[in-house]
Every structure is written in structure tokens, then in C-alpha cells.
Amino acid sequence: MTARAGLWEKLSDGRIRCNLCAHRCLIPLEARGICAVRENRQGNLESIVYGRLIAENLDPIEKKPLFHVLPGSFSYSIATAGCNFRCDFCQNHEISQLPALTGQVGGREMSPPVIVERARQSGAASISYTYTEPTVFFEYAKDIAILAQRAGLLNIFVTNGYMTPETLTDLGELLTAANVDLKSFRDEFYRQRCGARLGPVLTSIRKMKEMGVWVEVTTLIIPGYNDDREELREMADFICSLGPETPWHISRFQPRYKLLKIPATPATSICQAWEIGREAGLKYVYAGNMLGNPRENTSCSRCGFTLIERYGFTVRSFNLPGNNCPHCLTPLEGIFKT
């Protein structure tokens, strides 16, 4: 199944400029863009992954990770193959890099109405477009999101943030929340390790906040690559500039894909990054991939009372009557009702 893509323009020489993501690929006839799933077919841009579902799971929303969006709920999580990044440390490279490495898109056909009905029957409160980069299957995601919103389901992007402002504008009010991977605060890292640039990611995060999308940020701390104290301080300052209520998830790296010889992140590095985030003024900083660490709990930003206690992706206790701290009545920012 294919579908006519959106957000592109035809050039006089037969090439197409794709305006979906910040690469803004110039695609010759019968060729594909960097994502390897958008193809110039006889002068028209086609999405070759439309309706081709390659991953489908019912996940705790904490797995996205989103800690301030319907805690304890489940999110129906889907993906097609493809990605506009080439991260050396991708945890889902088997499906994200499949089209680029083999030319194949895999998956099975499933229409937007069927997906929304399956999500509704599963008991999920939301649909997450995740595992690979949702921007590259934008047309499919948008058609699903329209139906999901009508069915009372929230729409969530788990994204690298490399979409264009035009793409975010086109999504409009369909997008409720997003977790954005801020992989580094150095352009060199993005160029060498991801095949992208830092600037467009920061622009997207700012625009999402301006649009009223609830944003949480995740950074995978990789030893020797993005764990410098000064870089982490700059990153924390940027996130705080979006609003100190913006949650920052600091995740522990495990050897993966092309970085198999890099050791797992020491717990001390995660704790150091957590402290930097708090010193920058962020109200909510979370330590990821460290089971049983109290830094995965949500505490009141004023009095420190534990509002949400977690163990991994499981919510153990929820002490938030009326979305306010029961001790000092300070509101907890986020989305807690559909």
C-alpha cells in the first residue's frame, strides 16, 4: 500500500523537494529521500510505508517515557519501518534502518480505522507513534490521529524532533503530547552520530511548546560522548528555558548496534546529570533504566512529598487528589484527565 505524500514541491528538473523533515531532501526521479520511505515516482512523492505496520504493542505510557500524561494508563504503540536519522546507538535499528539497508519496508497492511478500533478495544487511553521516527510515516500517522481524536484517544509522538515547522503546523491540534529525544547539545554529535543537525531539533521543541503540546525530553547519556558536565548544564538550561515544569528524563545507555564496545553508563553519571538538571531549576528530573531508584518518582516541586511512586514502568502509588499535592496543594503540571 502506498499513498501520495504531503509537504513537497516539484522542481523544474524533475526532482522533488520534500519539506517533511529538516533534511529537506532533493529527490531525483525514481529515488528516495534519506528516510528511504518517500519516493519520487514519475514526478510525484509517494509514502511507501503508508498502511504498513511493522510494530504494534500495548505499552505502559511510562515506557515512552511520559510521566506527566495519564500516569498508569496504557498507550497503543505503533510504527512503520524507516527513519531520517542514522544513530550509531539505535535500540530499534532492525526496523528503523530496514528500508535504508535493504530497500524493503516490511510490515503488514492495516488501515487507520482498524488501528483506532484495535486501540479502543485494548483499553488504551492514547495512541503513541513510536519505536521508529513517526515523522517519516506522517501521512499514515495523521490519518490515524484524526480518527483517534474523534474516538477520545490522545495522540503522542515519540520523536527525534527533526520535523519541519510546516509539519508541526499541519499536525495542529491533533498532537497532545510528545517525548523528544535531545541526544546531545553539540552539533558535532548530531552530525557524526546521527546524520543530522542540532538546530532543527531545538526549533521543533520550542514550536511544540508554543503550540500547547505537552513536551517531555529524554537524553540517553553515553559515556565519553555526551556526558560532559558543561554540555549537560547547557542542555538543562535550554530545557528550563522552555519552562521549569518540562520533565527531563536522563536515561542510562546500554551497548547497542554500532556502539557495542562502549560500556553501560555508570550510575554516578546518571546521578550527576540529575543533579545538574535540578541545579538548573528544573522541577522534574527523572533517572531512567535504573530500577528502584527514587529518582524515578514524581515529587511535589514545593514540599517534596512523593506524589507518584514508580518501579520501572509500573506506578506503585498515586497520591494526587484533584491533581494537587495533598500536603501543600501545589498543582502538578501535566495531563491527568482525558
Side-chain angles (χ1 to χ4, degrees):
M1 184 186 299
T2 64
R4 182 67 55 86
L7 297 166
W8 57 276
E9 54 187 305
K10 186 182 296 187
L11 305 182
S12 58
D13 59 2
R15 292 184 301 170
I16 284 173
R17 183 188 302 278
C18 178
N19 294 315
L20 184 71
C21 88
H23 288 303
R24 296 191 187 271
C25 293
L26 292 173
I27 309 174
L29 282 167
E30 312 309 320
R32 300 180 187 178
I34 288 173
C35 65
V37 297
R38 296 167 75 79
E39 186 173 309
N40 181 346
R41 292 186 174 178
Q42 299 179 345
N44 292 308
L45 191 62
E46 300 284 329
S47 169
I48 64 172
V49 289
Y50 188 97
R52 300 290 303 184
L53 202 67
I54 200 165
E56 172 194 26
N57 291 288
L58 186 63
D59 289 335
I61 199 165
E62 285 76 17
K63 190 176 181 179
K64 301 301 107 190
L66 285 167
F67 280 11
H68 290 243
V69 179
L70 305 182
S73 70
F74 285 89
S75 190
Y76 188 79
S77 303
I78 59 172
T80 73
C83 189
N84 53 358
F85 276 21
R86 299 288 180 265
C87 298
D88 291 344
F89 45 90
C90 181
Q91 64 179 351
N92 291 320
H93 62 91
E94 297 91 346
I95 56 176
S96 69
Q97 303 304 313
L98 178 66
L101 295 175
T102 70
Q104 304 301 309
V105 298
R108 62 190 187 283
E109 290 191 5
M110 193 174 295
S111 70
V114 170
I115 286 177
V116 173
E117 180 59 19
R118 288 169 72 90
R120 193 186 63 79
Q121 291 184 358
S122 74
S126 60
I127 295 181
S128 288
Y129 310 84
T130 180
Y131 304 133
T132 62
E133 174 49 47
T135 302
V136 306
F137 60 95
F138 172 76
E139 294 78 16
Y140 190 34
K142 183 179 177 182
D143 286 350
I144 296 166
I146 291 169
L147 299 178
Q149 189 178 74
R150 292 173 185 168
L153 299 169
L154 304 187
N155 289 300
I156 294 166
F157 264 31
V158 180
T159 175
N160 59 32
Y162 216 60
M163 65 282 285
T164 61
E166 302 98 287
T167 297
L168 284 173
T169 298
D170 200 355
L171 272 176
E173 296 181 356
L174 293 171
L175 188 61
T176 307
N179 186 293
V180 184
D181 283 326
L182 184 53
K183 300 174 187 293
S184 169
F185 215 68
R186 298 288 181 264
D187 193 62
E188 182 180 13
F189 179 100
Y190 268 89
R191 286 187 287 107
Q192 294 183 353
R193 298 296 165 190
C194 308
R197 304 297 295 266
L198 170 63
V201 180
L202 305 184
T203 298
S204 290
I205 295 173
R206 291 191 191 99
K207 184 169 178 60
M208 287 183 201
K209 293 285 287 190
E210 291 168 2
M211 290 170 58
V213 175
W214 176 260
V215 174
E216 303 191 20
V217 176
T218 294
T219 302
L220 181 70
I221 304 296
I222 306 174
Y225 285 78
N226 64 350
D227 57 349
D228 176 75
R229 288 185 62 91
E230 184 59 32
E231 179 179 353
L232 291 171
R233 189 174 296 109
E234 291 174 25
M235 191 180 300
D237 287 342
F238 167 77
I239 298 169
C240 197
S241 75
L242 303 170
E245 78 286 350
T246 307
W248 187 23
H249 300 264
I250 301 160
S251 191
R252 189 182 189 193
F253 167 81
Q254 296 291 342
R256 187 72 172 147
Y257 195 29
K258 296 180 181 180
L259 296 187
L260 294 175
K261 294 183 180 180
I262 303 300
T265 313
T268 52
S269 295
I270 299 297
C271 295
Q272 171 184 274
W274 186 92
E275 291 169 358
I276 288 172
R278 294 289 290 164
E279 289 169 0
L282 289 170
K283 294 182 180 180
Y284 312 107
V285 186
Y286 298 106
N289 294 342
M290 291 178 63
L291 284 177
N293 190 311
R295 292 180 176 89
E296 63 187 357
N297 298 331
T298 299
S299 299
C300 175
S301 61
R302 182 178 180 184
C303 73
F305 179 75
T306 299
L307 302 173
I308 306 172
E309 183 184 1
R310 300 181 181 86
Y311 184 81
F313 304 136
T314 301
V315 172
R316 283 184 162 177
S317 65
F318 188 82
N319 305 304
L320 200 64
N323 301 335
N324 296 312
C325 174
H327 279 206
C328 68
L329 302 182
T330 299
L332 177 65
E333 298 92 342
I335 300 171
F336 303 103
K337 296 180 181 177
T338 56

